[in-house]
Amino acid sequence: MRKLLLLISAILVGLVFIARLFYLQVYSGSTYDLFEDSAILKEYTYPKRGYVYDRNGKLLVANQPSYDVMVIPREVKPLDSTDLHEFCKLLNITPEAYQRKLTRATNYSPRLPSPFVPQLSKSDYAVLQEKMRKYEGFYIQKRSLRSYQTTIGANVLGDIGEVNRSIIRKQPYYKLGDLIGKQGVEKTYETTLRGVKGIKFIQKDRFNKNIGPYKNGVFDTLPKPGKDITITIDSQLQAYGELLMKNKRGGIVAIEPGSGEILAMVSGPSYNPNLLVGRNRSKNFTKLYRDSIAKPLFDRGLQAMYPPGSPFKTLNALIALQENVVSTADRFTCNMGYRYGNRIMGCHAHKSPVNMNIGIYESCNAYFANVYRRIIDKYDSPAKGMDIWSNHIKSFGLGDFLGNDLSVGQPGKVPSAETYNRGYGKNKWYTTFTISNAIGQGEVLATPIQLANMAAAIGNRGYYYTPHIIKHIEEDTIPAAYTTPKYTTIEKKHFDPVVQGMFDVYNKGTAKMLQVKGIEICGKTGTAENFAIIDSVKTQLTDHSIFVAFAPKDNPKIAIAVFVENGYFGSRFAGRMASLMIEQYIRGEITRPDMENFVLRYSLEHEYEKPYSNAPFGINRQTTLEPIDEDEFQESLRIKAEITKS
């Protein structure tokens, strides 16, 4: 019996050994991972990040060398006080910061390298490299930082910053200390611009000393540089738009109607993109982020949702023609407004009665209130009419994301029957409940890029291309989504009367003072009510100034939307800025210095301070125009001259 027990025990031990060997050599061996082997040091080589050019071939974003001090915590030897203070002085950190950083790296991984002090300058690196041999566990890794060759387009170009743990979990390609596009083009085209890291595997002996490439470097890879890209922005037009928006808040978006390419995308106030480069990035970003009043990181051209105001009337005119509820000759009376029940929608003084052409160029509220009611009331219920109206509006790209290649955005808002069913109860509302939609107020909200796209669709007589920022990618093609036209629900034949009305806005209507000789501009002024909650009270502030336009009248080369917060009526600031931008793009020069000087000379900063300074607001109007000082005005003219010269 004892012999049998001994035999069984020997057999069991043998089976255990065989099973373990099978696991190690067959099962486990098939999933061996170099990256998990602590005896192999992994050294990454970072590729050149792709350059960014504007549509005319001007270099906007390049690279500059940067050096990271890396640490492998378990290889760090304790430093005496003299060496510690010397090392900290070289890195420009305190001994306390040294310990915090070492603890952070250890918590991440005691055996994997992580950044200790990132983004040293070339001069700092030159001093440090001679003494690195004294500090075991530390080494210097070279990489590239961005070098912005311009001071404009921060919201367009974006920036790069360190990845966080959340990104690393979702995208294992990145390691602690890696850089990734955070905003703008840098974010959208991150995988194109970044390239692919190279890697070297270095064998270590039992004393943790490097003994050469693992298996003679057979698994090593070279870095693949990122691809250069050309974006659609005209940097000269972008610079001019940012100059016009100085001392103001708002957004300007200009689009080439025939392609959907974005020519300019201005957000005011802006900032120098070089602020978010290097070791001061975190400090500067925090400062910009905490500016809750000016909000320079908030891209107003893409993210700000405003009431579209009177430019929206052009869509109601088109829908009315498509639905055959009015003709261009039908007239409505305007007695300084439109009365419904015991309420009145006010209007300004102009001739009456009003047909479609007059309604557009005089921006008559009464005309469009009547038109809107006919659209909704054509059907057997307001709900059905509302949904049909809503679908027409959405076909112009409003009320949803446009599907562009931009890093941020907002969908805007186009109400439907469900919107009012939720608010008033199903079938418990009437057309008059929604009458403000007739003039672009009410429940309608749009972003400047949506309004620019709307103008492009009208200029094209019924279609548009998805607005996009990419023009060319090295060795790649542009996605078909950006080269395929999208058609509105309005037949082409209905656009000519509306285009003529917008043309007459410049010839005899609300923008006749903004004409540019020799350029046929079609536009529409707008004024949007502006309210804020101040001390728990809904308070009316100075209205927003809005303008949309395209030019020339036939086969337009540019469509534009300008939104100036607290700018008052449409032609005061937004209209002037739109006309100047159009002429700058088409002619490359300005023949209306009177308009340019007005925009550059006057600031709206006093308007933005009113909610915080207890200054009087006035009623639906800006009470004063405040000029900037003469030195600042002359500096603006100097910058304008440089833009034109470039």
Side-chain angles (χ1 to χ4, degrees):
M1 185 66 181
R2 289 181 179 179
K3 289 183 179 181
L4 183 61
L5 183 61
L6 183 62
L7 179 62
I8 293 172
S9 298
I11 292 172
L12 288 174
V13 170
L15 289 173
V16 169
F17 273 102
I18 291 171
R20 181 61 178 167
L21 286 171
F22 176 83
Y23 175 79
L24 291 174
Q25 295 184 17
V26 179
Y27 182 78
S28 179
S30 64
T31 59
Y32 171 71
D33 190 347
L34 270 175
F35 292 90
E36 296 298 323
D37 192 334
S38 60
I40 307 297
L41 174 66
K42 277 69 69 176
E43 285 190 356
Y44 290 99
T45 307
Y46 288 86
K48 175 186 81 71
R49 196 170 176 90
Y51 285 8
V52 180
Y53 298 86
D54 87 336
R55 67 186 297 109
N56 299 311
K58 181 179 178 180
L59 179 62
L60 299 177
V61 188
N63 298 312
Q64 59 180 312
S66 174
Y67 306 89
D68 293 348
V69 177
M70 307 293 290
V71 63
I72 304 175
R74 75 173 187 177
E75 298 179 13
V76 174
K77 299 293 188 274
L79 300 175
D80 60 36
S81 60
T82 301
D83 286 343
L84 176 61
H85 281 86
E86 179 190 46
F87 192 47
C88 289
K89 185 176 181 181
L90 289 170
L91 297 177
N92 194 28
I93 61 175
T94 64
E96 293 76 18
Y98 170 91
Q99 192 57 53
R100 285 199 306 271
K101 290 175 180 291
L102 188 58
T103 301
R104 175 175 175 265
T106 304
N107 291 337
Y108 168 66
S109 173
R111 59 186 178 81
L112 295 178
S114 60
F116 190 73
V117 175
Q119 303 175 11
L120 294 182
S121 67
K122 196 171 183 179
S123 58
D124 291 338
Y125 165 72
V127 174
L128 184 62
Q129 67 168 338
E130 298 178 0
K131 300 188 178 184
M132 284 301 292
R133 57 183 175 78
K134 295 173 57 177
Y135 307 106
E136 293 186 44
F138 295 93
Y139 67 94
I140 296 177
Q141 179 174 267
K142 183 179 179 180
R143 71 167 79 222
S144 291
L145 286 182
R146 282 317 220 181
S147 175
Y148 294 96
Q149 309 295 298
T150 180
T151 59
I152 64 162
N155 64 310
V156 177
L157 302 173
D159 66 286
I160 59 175
E162 284 192 37
V163 296
N164 54 37
R165 294 181 187 275
S166 174
I167 293 173
I168 294 172
R169 283 194 298 269
K170 294 175 183 176
Q171 303 181 62
Y173 169 86
Y174 297 99
K175 308 299 178 187
L176 197 65
D178 282 0
L179 302 176
I180 190 173
K182 294 286 189 176
Q183 301 176 89
V185 170
E186 298 280 17
K187 179 178 180 179
T188 302
Y189 290 96
E190 162 68 13
T191 55
T192 300
L193 291 167
R194 77 182 181 197
V196 179
K197 290 180 289 189
I199 188 169
K200 292 180 181 179
F201 297 97
I202 300 172
Q203 182 73 58
K204 292 187 173 189
D205 62 15
R206 61 193 181 93
F207 300 107
N208 209 34
K209 300 295 183 182
N210 296 349
I211 58 175
Y214 174 71
K215 292 192 175 181
N216 296 317
V218 68
F219 295 110
D220 295 354
T221 60
L222 293 173
K224 294 180 181 179
K227 295 178 181 179
D228 296 343
I229 67 173
T230 298
I231 60 175
T232 60
I233 293 295
D234 183 315
S235 58
Q236 187 182 53
L237 187 66
Q238 178 78 20
Y240 188 53
E242 291 189 13
L243 179 64
L244 295 178
M245 193 60 78
K246 188 178 179 183
N247 298 312
K248 304 167 190 71
R249 297 178 192 170
I252 303 174
V253 178
I255 295 173
E256 184 179 70
S259 66
E261 294 179 357
I262 299 171
L263 303 172
M265 195 163 62
V266 175
S267 178
S270 187
Y271 57 94
N272 187 331
N274 290 289
L275 289 173
L276 300 185
V277 176
R279 295 181 69 179
N280 289 325
R281 181 191 184 278
S282 180
K283 179 180 68 176
N284 290 335
F285 180 86
T286 300
K287 184 178 179 180
L288 293 169
Y289 180 79
R290 288 180 176 173
D291 187 349
S292 59
I293 298 175
K295 298 181 180 178
L297 293 175
F298 180 65
D299 192 332
R300 286 170 165 86
L302 303 178
Q303 294 176 284
M305 298 192 297
Y306 303 104
S310 291
F312 193 74
K313 294 172 180 175
T314 58
L315 297 191
N316 280 321
L318 289 166
I319 295 169
L321 293 173
Q322 179 68 34
E323 291 294 319
N324 196 30
V325 294
V326 297
S327 72
T328 57
D330 287 345
R331 292 175 177 265
F332 298 98
T333 300
C334 177
N335 294 318
M336 297 288 287
Y338 174 76
R339 186 174 296 279
Y340 55 106
N342 59 356
R343 302 179 65 185
I344 187 168
M345 177 188 291
C347 195
H348 56 277
H350 57 76
K351 57 186 174 183
S352 179
V354 180
N355 62 17
M356 181 172 288
N357 182 258
I358 299 171
I360 293 173
Y361 77 69
E362 290 286 11
S363 198
C364 176
N365 288 346
Y367 176 84
F368 283 99
N370 279 289
V371 164
Y372 176 78
R373 287 199 66 173
R374 286 197 179 185
I375 296 169
I376 306 301
D377 292 343
K378 174 183 176 181
Y379 296 92
D380 54 12
S381 72
K384 185 175 181 180
M386 176 59 63
D387 281 341
I388 289 172
W389 173 87
S390 180
N391 289 334
H392 281 307
I393 296 294
K394 290 176 180 177
S395 75
F396 285 82
L398 277 69
D400 199 357
F401 294 102
L402 287 166
N404 52 50
D405 57 344
L406 305 169
S407 64
V408 294
Q410 288 290 341
K413 182 180 179 182
V414 174
S416 64
E418 180 59 27
T419 305
Y420 298 106
N421 285 339
R422 288 196 305 267
Y424 298 107
K426 190 172 183 179
N427 300 324
K428 293 183 179 180
W429 54 275
Y430 304 96
T431 306
T432 52
F433 287 38
T434 72
I435 198 68
S436 293
N437 294 332
I439 59 172
Q441 297 281 171
E443 285 67 47
V444 182
L445 296 173
T447 60
I449 192 172
Q450 289 175 325
L451 293 180
N453 187 64
M454 179 191 82
I458 296 174
N460 287 339
R461 277 61 167 182
Y463 67 92
Y464 65 90
Y465 293 91
T466 299
H468 55 280
I469 200 76
I470 193 68
K471 188 171 180 67
H472 175 72
I473 303 176
E474 182 183 348
E475 300 176 356
D476 284 348
T477 57
I478 302 301
Y482 304 142
T483 58
T484 304
K486 295 182 177 180
Y487 290 88
T488 71
T489 54
I490 310 300
E491 295 174 64
K492 183 178 179 180
K493 65 182 181 180
H494 297 308
F495 282 87
D496 283 342
V498 174
V499 169
Q500 183 61 44
M502 295 176 71
F503 181 65
D504 287 338
V505 168
Y506 266 92
N507 288 286
K508 49 188 176 182
T510 54
K512 59 188 176 186
M513 58 182 279
L514 309 180
Q515 292 181 24
V516 177
K517 189 175 181 180
I519 301 179
E520 292 186 328
I521 307 177
C522 301
K524 185 71 192 75
T525 54
T527 306
E529 291 182 342
N530 178 22
F531 293 93
I533 304 298
I534 300 175
D535 296 330
S536 302
V537 178
K538 185 178 181 181
T539 306
Q540 185 170 8
L541 307 181
T542 303
D543 290 343
H544 298 313
S545 177
I546 314 169
F547 201 88
V548 302
F550 60 85
K553 181 181 179 184
D554 299 311
N555 301 313
K557 295 181 174 64
I558 181 173
I560 191 168
V562 181
F563 204 107
V564 181
E565 295 180 10
N566 302 46
Y568 195 26
F569 55 88
S571 60
R572 190 180 211 179
F573 280 105
R576 285 181 168 95
M577 293 160 74
S579 294
L580 291 167
M581 291 281 284
I582 288 170
E583 184 176 26
Q584 178 65 37
Y585 182 68
I586 292 178
R587 281 206 179 114
E589 62 178 358
I590 297 300
T591 62
R592 288 290 307 270
D594 57 316
M595 287 200 298
E596 184 178 72
N597 290 346
F598 180 94
V599 174
L600 295 180
R601 183 174 288 280
Y602 291 107
S603 168
L604 291 174
E605 290 298 336
H606 63 291
E607 285 293 326
Y608 308 131
E609 292 170 1
K610 284 181 178 179
Y612 311 96
S613 64
N614 296 318
F617 296 109
I619 300 298
N620 196 33
R621 64 180 61 251
Q622 180 175 304
T623 54
T624 59
L625 277 172
E626 293 194 5
I628 60 176
D629 64 56
E630 188 61 26
D631 289 343
E632 186 178 358
F633 176 64
Q634 292 301 322
E635 175 64 11
S636 294
L637 293 180
R638 184 193 66 77
I639 294 172
K640 165 56 176 51
E642 286 185 359
I643 293 170
T644 304
K645 184 179 179 180
S646 67

